[in-house]
Amino acid sequence: MLQPKDLTEKTLSREDKYQGRILSVHVDEVLLPNGNTSTREVVDHVDGVAVLALDDRNNVLTVTQYRYVFGKTLLELPAGKLDPGEDPVTGALRELKEETGAVPDIFLPLGRIIPAPGCYGEVLYLFLARGLRMEDQHLDPDEFLNVERIPFEEMVHRCLTGEIEDAKTVAAVLKAKLQLNL
């Protein structure tokens, strides 16, 4: 049986290129396992959360918002960035309430995902919320979105057909389908 090789790349140098509010960019020179060197362009982004919120009729609370980078609106789960030092559960409950007004009785982890490991340093924590009580939304001043309720099975169908393209939404919906037998 073959022994696994050490696949670790060792950082030789780092050049900071940009520091913003939610992300930073740096270019690293790395030593590869074979002894050669290469360049890695890295975007470090604050970690985030997303919540699959199901009402008592198994409808999913979704948000549609314009995504400037892609020049179009996307249907997504309520989600957002974690504040510095914020626990993922606290952040997820905050984002769900801010974006939809929903406050759950039941809140369960669905795991975490790494959305773009080739160059993007971000972890997204996924949660399932049930037993929803609706209160007022509290959107950020620069946040504009529409909230909609979509049957869970329709969400699964839209994820499988590619109509829903947002990675965190696809991952959470399909994880819930398989893990919870929904």
Side-chain angles (χ1 to χ4, degrees), residues 52-55 57-62 77 110 128-130 149-160 164 169-182:
L52 174 62
L54 289 170
D55 68 14
R57 302 180 80 192
N58 261 7
N59 293 310
V60 180
L61 287 181
T62 63
L77 295 179
L110 285 175
L128 173 73
R130 299 193 98 159
R149 292 177 189 242
I150 298 175
F152 181 76
E153 283 305 319
E154 184 177 333
M155 289 291 292
V156 171
H157 175 75
R158 289 183 185 189
C159 288
L160 292 175
I164 295 176
T169 300
V170 172
V173 168
L174 297 182
K175 278 178 163 257
K177 176 73 175 167
L178 293 173
Q179 289 179 2
L180 304 172
N181 220 9
L182 292 174

Side-chain angles (χ1 to χ4, degrees), residues 2 11 20 29 35-36 44 52 65 71 92 103 128 150 163 165 173:
L2 291 175
T11 305
E29 182 180 354
N36 294 332
D44 289 317
L52 174 62
Q65 55 190 322
V103 178
L128 173 73
I150 298 175
E163 183 181 340
E165 299 175 290
V173 168

Side-chain angles (χ1 to χ4, degrees), residues 5-10 12 30-40:
K5 286 194 237 176
D6 180 6
L7 302 175
T8 306
E9 297 178 359
K10 294 171 181 53
L12 299 174
V30 299
L31 179 65
L32 301 173
N34 66 1
N36 294 332
T37 61
S38 189
T39 301
R40 299 290 181 250

